[in-house]
Amino acid sequence: MILTVRPPLEPRCPAPAARQELADRLSRRRELFERAADTAPHPIRDPYLFPIMAALVPVATSRGGEVAYPGDPMCLYSALSLTIERSVARLVRGLPEQPSLDDVAADWGHYPDDAYRLAEDGHRSVLVADSRTTDGHVFDPRIWDDVAREAFITELRALRPKVLLLSSVSAGHRYALEMAELAKQHAPGCLVVLGGRHADETVRYQDAARTADLSWSSTVEVIRDGRARPVVDFVVAGDGSPLLDLLLRAFGLVTTPASGPAPVEEILDALALVAAHDGTTKGAGNIVGLTADEAVLVPVRGERIDAAQLPSPYQAFSVRARFGIFTGAGSSPLGSRTAHVMTLDACPFKCTFCSESIQVSKRPTRFAVSETEHVAQRIEQLVDWGTEAAFFDDPVFWGGNWKAITDFCHDLARLRARKPELRSFEWGAQLTVDVVLNRAKAPEVHAALDLMRENGCTYVYIGIESMAQQVMRNVGKNLLRRNPEAWVSKVREALTTIRDHGIRVGSSVLFGLDGENRDSIEETIEEIGRLIDDGLLVMASPNILTYHPGTAITAAHGQDRLDYHSRKDNRPPYTYFEEAYPEVVSRLLDEDDIWFIHEASAERWGSTRNSAAESATPVGA
């Protein structure tokens, strides 16, 4: 299979000829669908709407003894937001009088009403519950085993989707390929589109050279060289929401009333027509179409899209997660119903191990620091939908901008003053040691922490990573090194500062970074234990370095061939950690080390070590 790179779709597409061609095609398409409806043996509710299904690809393969890792449900919800908004609008207004690009659309159903949102709780059931509700079009099993497989097949046969959208982190990629193959078997003609973090990490385009840069573990490469069957039709990487919307509109342009598959080549050609329709291309990333003998990469270099321009990810979905660290609402022993919220989807710092670093993500989607009021209003909306708490899942809350944090707290305070339901609302966020210890802005930091606590923040999560100086000197996180004991003392000072403002602190600890050995492991476990003894940590989450495509440490360790495609069932001791899998964990750790980390941290940290029931981030979505 050859690889072809097409010219980028640029921000402005003023192509009169393309627009005329599009108008002609829309007229012909309207006539085609009208004739099909007139000759149908039974009335069709709306022949222009085609069935669609999305799935959050699971990463676990057993139903016990594991720390829960749900993948990235918010990545999927965010990516679906624009296409669902367009579909619901089309469903509500009906078919326009004149032929329109949005005549043919995905049938996502209607938004959930308030009663539905309040009734739905906990993980979505394995079966898709209600195909007439947008929330009911997502298959989310959390575990990939025989039970989930049969349920997935049942859904495919019942819904017969024309398009299946799969969202996968790297650890779930092997199961995404299996799900794609099942879709081809049990929903003939189904177009399979794969996106999510794995696609973002493995599909790149070098603008200067105008060439593709595909990781060995990318979906495109494993299909091109025969390691996987050709069961995926499109891969979407980058700004998922506008790019997926563009792709589905192109699919709608070439699809027919018949049940046969839409040719990938025709969809690829239609992308430029759709982009020319509005005159402005939105978002940046890459769309790769896979035909029988060619992989075609279409770079999209549209206008930047900010988070405020996108619908709330929860507009189409119920808030189902419960986070044991939030208990103020008292509605469940599992913790408060908790929403994930993000103001920024890439970290401004450059830690060598992090797949959320700006070095990997390149161009983040974020709220502008002037849009704090908009975010506060989204919190108000979430409360109206039955949400009791929120965790800001940003790599760093508001990118570490203390003015934005302060402004957000003031905006939230104004809403709390007039809306009693907000006064019991809890929230948490992620910060870093150096952001908390910003010496130049110390008064502003302390004032902001007070405002955070006064306006519902009860929890801050900080990545400590290691307490061994020989490890931290290589990470890129300890930005303000002053002496050999700097990191240990800085961690203690940052945690003390947050606690003194009445906010609890949880942490992640990462084993397997450069400089790691058994001595540094023991040092870190003991130093974290001392922080727990002194009441500075309410939760500590041990993690094993897992290589992600595109990170600096993956390249430095020569791990350019990561097997994220072969079917493997995970096993202890790897299953005792949120993200750890044989063959892709740090080369500096052997299995004995991993067993030692599990057993020693459990003994020294006691109940403060996280468990599946109370993990580092909210469980569910």
Side-chain angles (χ1 to χ4, degrees):
M1 181 184 291
I2 64 172
L3 175 64
T4 303
V5 180
R6 291 192 178 182
L9 296 180
E10 304 286 0
R12 299 289 175 183
C13 303
R19 290 177 188 165
Q20 184 58 52
E21 179 185 349
L22 179 61
D24 294 342
R25 292 182 66 164
L26 292 177
S27 295
R28 292 195 299 270
R29 186 181 67 174
R30 176 72 71 92
E31 293 172 2
L32 181 66
F33 272 81
E34 286 177 348
R35 288 200 300 271
D38 290 342
T39 58
H42 303 288
I44 302 174
R45 181 176 54 83
D46 191 332
Y48 293 84
L49 299 179
F50 58 86
I52 192 167
M53 180 177 171
L56 180 67
V57 179
V59 299
T61 53
S62 68
R63 296 178 181 267
E66 296 183 329
V67 172
Y69 177 40
D72 194 344
M74 298 313 298
C75 181
L76 175 61
Y77 287 4
S78 298
L80 297 178
S81 61
L82 274 181
T83 185
I84 289 181
E85 182 182 60
R86 190 182 302 280
S87 167
V88 171
R90 160 65 179 82
L91 185 64
V92 169
R93 70 172 178 262
L95 195 68
E97 185 174 336
Q98 296 299 320
S100 164
L101 182 59
D102 295 325
D103 281 356
V104 178
D107 186 2
W108 289 102
H110 292 278
Y111 287 132
D113 57 25
D114 289 346
Y116 181 98
R117 292 181 188 277
L118 293 173
E120 294 299 312
D121 195 10
H123 292 326
R124 185 179 281 102
S125 62
V126 171
L127 295 180
V128 176
D130 178 7
S131 63
R132 297 309 312 140
T133 304
T134 54
D135 186 72
H137 279 77
V138 175
F139 182 81
D140 182 8
R142 299 298 166 101
I143 302 292
W144 190 245
D145 60 5
D146 290 342
V147 174
R149 187 181 297 104
E150 289 304 312
F152 184 58
I153 292 171
T154 298
E155 292 303 319
L156 289 170
R157 290 174 173 171
L159 190 58
R160 296 280 175 174
K162 275 202 167 185
V163 179
L164 171 67
L165 308 174
L166 298 172
S167 179
S168 179
V169 297
S170 290
H173 182 235
R174 53 182 60 94
Y175 310 121
L177 293 172
E178 186 175 345
M179 294 171 80
E181 187 160 2
L182 290 172
K184 293 297 184 182
Q185 295 172 6
H186 299 283
C190 178
L191 190 88
V192 177
V193 180
L194 191 145
R197 296 288 183 183
H198 182 71
D200 295 345
E201 293 172 2
T202 58
V203 177
R204 303 297 174 82
Y205 172 76
Q206 301 299 332
D207 291 274
R210 292 184 174 262
T211 58
D213 180 9
L214 304 176
S215 298
W216 185 81
S217 56
S218 72
T219 309
V220 179
E221 288 298 272
V222 300
I223 289 176
R224 284 185 69 211
D225 64 21
R227 281 174 284 147
R229 291 171 53 81
V231 291
V232 174
D233 300 290
F234 283 93
V235 175
V236 177
D239 291 341
S241 190
L243 267 63
L244 182 59
D245 186 48
L246 171 66
L247 178 61
L248 289 180
R249 295 178 90 191
F251 171 81
L253 181 62
V254 305
T255 194
T256 67
S259 59
V264 171
E265 297 92 334
E266 293 186 19
I267 299 172
L268 286 165
D269 292 340
L271 290 173
L273 288 176
V274 175
H277 174 264
D278 297 325
T280 302
T281 304
K282 297 286 189 181
N286 304 290
I287 297 173
V288 184
L290 295 153
T291 71
D293 53 11
E294 187 180 19
V296 181
L297 187 145
V298 180
V300 180
R301 294 297 180 269
E303 292 182 352
R304 185 185 184 107
I305 188 164
D306 294 326
Q309 297 174 259
L310 300 173
S312 166
Y314 284 111
Q315 184 169 321
F317 302 101
S318 294
V319 179
R320 298 169 177 274
R322 290 199 176 271
F323 195 1
I325 205 73
F326 299 127
T327 57
S331 63
S332 168
L334 297 177
S336 300
R337 190 196 299 248
T338 304
H340 301 247
V341 182
M342 297 189 74
T343 65
L344 174 71
D345 64 3
C347 183
F349 303 115
K350 299 178 181 179
C351 297
T352 58
F353 58 87
C354 184
S355 62
E356 294 181 341
S357 167
I358 192 69
Q359 290 184 312
V360 178
S361 182
K362 302 297 183 185
R363 187 170 130 167
T365 302
R366 64 174 302 162
F367 286 99
V369 294
S370 59
E371 293 173 332
T372 56
E373 184 177 5
H374 184 93
V375 177
Q377 289 170 348
R378 286 205 175 180
I379 294 294
E380 181 182 26
Q381 185 181 56
L382 287 170
V383 171
D384 290 340
W385 290 339
T387 308
E388 299 162 334
F391 186 76
F392 285 86
D393 227 353
D394 314 317
V396 185
F397 189 41
W398 284 104
N401 185 310
W402 285 106
K403 183 181 184 304
I405 293 171
T406 299
D407 290 346
F408 168 74
C409 289
H410 285 307
D411 294 328
L412 192 58
R414 284 188 283 272
L415 292 177
R416 284 163 60 94
R418 66 174 178 79
K419 189 160 189 169
E421 299 93 322
L422 271 166
R423 295 170 196 168
S424 61
F425 188 82
E426 285 186 88
W427 55 278
Q430 298 194 88
L431 293 172
T432 71
V433 168
D434 282 305
V435 165
V436 174
L437 298 184
N438 188 330
R439 310 297 186 192
K441 296 186 176 181
E444 183 180 353
V445 171
H446 287 280
L449 288 170
D450 279 337
L451 280 172
M452 289 169 63
R453 182 64 189 93
E454 291 167 8
N455 288 283
C457 179
T458 63
Y459 180 71
V460 163
Y461 190 66
I462 282 185
I464 292 175
E465 315 319 344
S466 176
M467 295 292 276
Q469 189 68 22
Q470 69 189 57
V471 172
M472 291 308 298
R473 69 166 59 100
N474 303 306
V475 171
K477 177 184 284 286
N478 185 14
L479 302 179
L480 304 175
R481 297 186 282 271
R482 295 190 299 275
N483 57 61
E485 291 74 43
W487 181 246
V488 173
S489 61
K490 283 169 56 181
V491 168
R492 179 170 288 273
E493 182 181 354
L495 269 54
T496 300
T497 298
I498 298 169
R499 184 194 63 180
D500 288 350
H501 286 274
I503 301 173
R504 298 165 297 159
V505 185
S507 69
S508 62
V509 185
L510 186 61
F511 296 95
L513 296 164
D514 283 327
E516 194 82 274
N517 56 34
R518 185 60 67 91
D519 289 341
S520 64
I521 291 170
E522 292 178 348
E523 180 182 356
T524 293
I525 290 174
E526 176 57 29
E527 289 294 339
I528 294 294
R530 291 175 182 172
L531 295 174
I532 293 169
D533 294 342
D534 294 339
L536 294 174
L537 286 175
V538 300
M539 191 276 294
S541 173
N543 298 280
I544 303 299
L545 171 67
T546 298
Y547 295 118
H548 282 261
T551 63
I553 200 168
T554 298
H557 286 193
Q559 302 298 310
D560 58 341
R561 294 201 164 198
L562 299 171
D563 185 353
Y564 279 121
H565 57 277
S566 298
R567 172 60 193 260
K568 293 181 177 68
D569 291 341
N570 211 355
R571 57 181 171 78
Y574 305 94
T575 53
Y576 298 124
F577 301 90
E578 185 178 88
E579 186 184 14
Y581 309 91
E583 299 178 26
V584 293
V585 298
S586 174
R587 67 179 188 180
L588 303 181
L589 301 175
D590 59 27
E591 195 160 301
D592 286 341
D593 290 324
I594 297 173
W595 272 112
F596 176 81
I597 292 165
H598 165 61
E599 293 168 349
S601 63
E603 180 180 354
R604 180 63 179 90
W605 303 351
S607 61
T608 303
R609 175 181 167 167
N610 74 306
S611 65
E614 188 174 345
S615 59
T617 52
V619 175

